[in-house]
Structures are given as structure tokens and as C-alpha cells.
Amino acid sequence: MLEAGVHFGHGTRKCNPRMAPYISAKRKGIHITNLTRTARFLSEACDLVFDAASKGKQFLIVGTKNKAADSVARVAIRARCHYVNKKWLGGMLTNWPTTETRLHKFREYMKSQCPVPIIRFNSK
């Protein structure tokens, strides 16, 4: 992780106070992330994802940074997951009833414009 540059966090001005336990140092206006804690929590997160996947749960992978967009798409397609690698609309999950209503309206509009179904959206 050190070679990949994972230890570089946000600038010190953009710090959330709840991140303090995960920051090991400050250098040149940038927080240095504690990689020991990061590795432990990453391992726990991987275990949770593995357990959920083995139970057939679905995942949404979000990575909108330019450098991550291609990797997110490639990994999500390989894992047969939903993904967002371009613009993320704020409130898309926290305001799901509104988003779902708009998706249904859009689907109905597309059906009226074109007889061949273009968008398949199933809500549970």
C-alpha cells in the first residue's frame, strides 16, 4: 500500500475531526494515513463483502475519480455488480423513493417513444 501511495490522505484543511484516529502524521499540508489500521479494517471489510456475496447479496460499486473510473467499470462488470463510475447524483440512495419514481417515469416515457424496451429496471 505504501508503494501505491495509499498513505497520502486529504489536505490538512479538508480534515474531518472523526478521521483523527486514522491519521499518523502531517507532512507538507497533507495527512499521512495510518496504514496499519487501514490494512486491518480493509481485511475486515473484505470479509464482510465475501460473506454477503456468498449469500447472494447485490452490490453497488461507486468510484467517480478519473483515475479509478476504468478500474471500477472493469471490476464491477467482472463481478456482475452495479456500478457508477461517472457523475454521482447526490441523494441517489438517501432519497431512493424519489429516484425510483423518476426511473419508472423515464422507463414509461421510453416505452411510449420506442416499442423495443431499452431500460430494464426491477425494484424489489
Side-chain angles (χ1 to χ4, degrees):
M1 286 193 299
L2 188 64
E3 289 177 11
V6 174
H7 62 288
F8 292 118
H10 288 288
T12 54
R13 290 180 293 146
K14 297 179 182 179
C15 180
N16 185 326
R18 290 181 284 179
M19 287 299 294
Y22 308 101
I23 297 170
S24 64
K26 292 182 202 175
R27 286 198 193 132
K28 297 180 184 176
I30 295 177
H31 282 129
I32 307 300
T33 306
N34 183 336
L35 292 182
T36 306
R37 290 189 99 177
T38 301
R40 186 174 72 234
F41 289 127
L42 183 59
S43 177
E44 289 177 21
C46 287
D47 292 341
L48 289 171
V49 169
F50 182 79
D51 290 342
S54 67
K55 294 176 183 174
K57 301 278 183 171
Q58 291 190 356
F59 295 91
L60 172 66
I61 300 174
V62 179
T64 58
K65 297 277 186 184
N66 289 337
K67 290 183 178 182
D70 293 335
S71 299
V72 166
R74 190 172 44 255
V75 168
I77 290 168
R78 196 172 118 210
R80 294 185 181 122
C81 291
H82 305 288
Y83 68 95
V84 176
N85 68 342
K86 299 295 181 196
K87 185 171 173 68
W88 174 258
L89 300 175
M92 194 159 86
L93 293 178
T94 56
N95 196 13
W96 181 246
T98 302
T99 304
E100 187 176 32
T101 302
R102 295 295 178 197
L103 286 170
H104 283 297
K105 285 183 180 182
F106 180 68
R107 186 176 73 180
E108 294 302 319
Y109 172 76
M110 293 302 289
K111 280 184 182 177
S112 69
Q113 297 296 317
C114 180
V116 178
I118 295 174
I119 297 175
R120 293 175 191 90
F121 175 74
N122 298 323
S123 65
K124 293 181 181 180

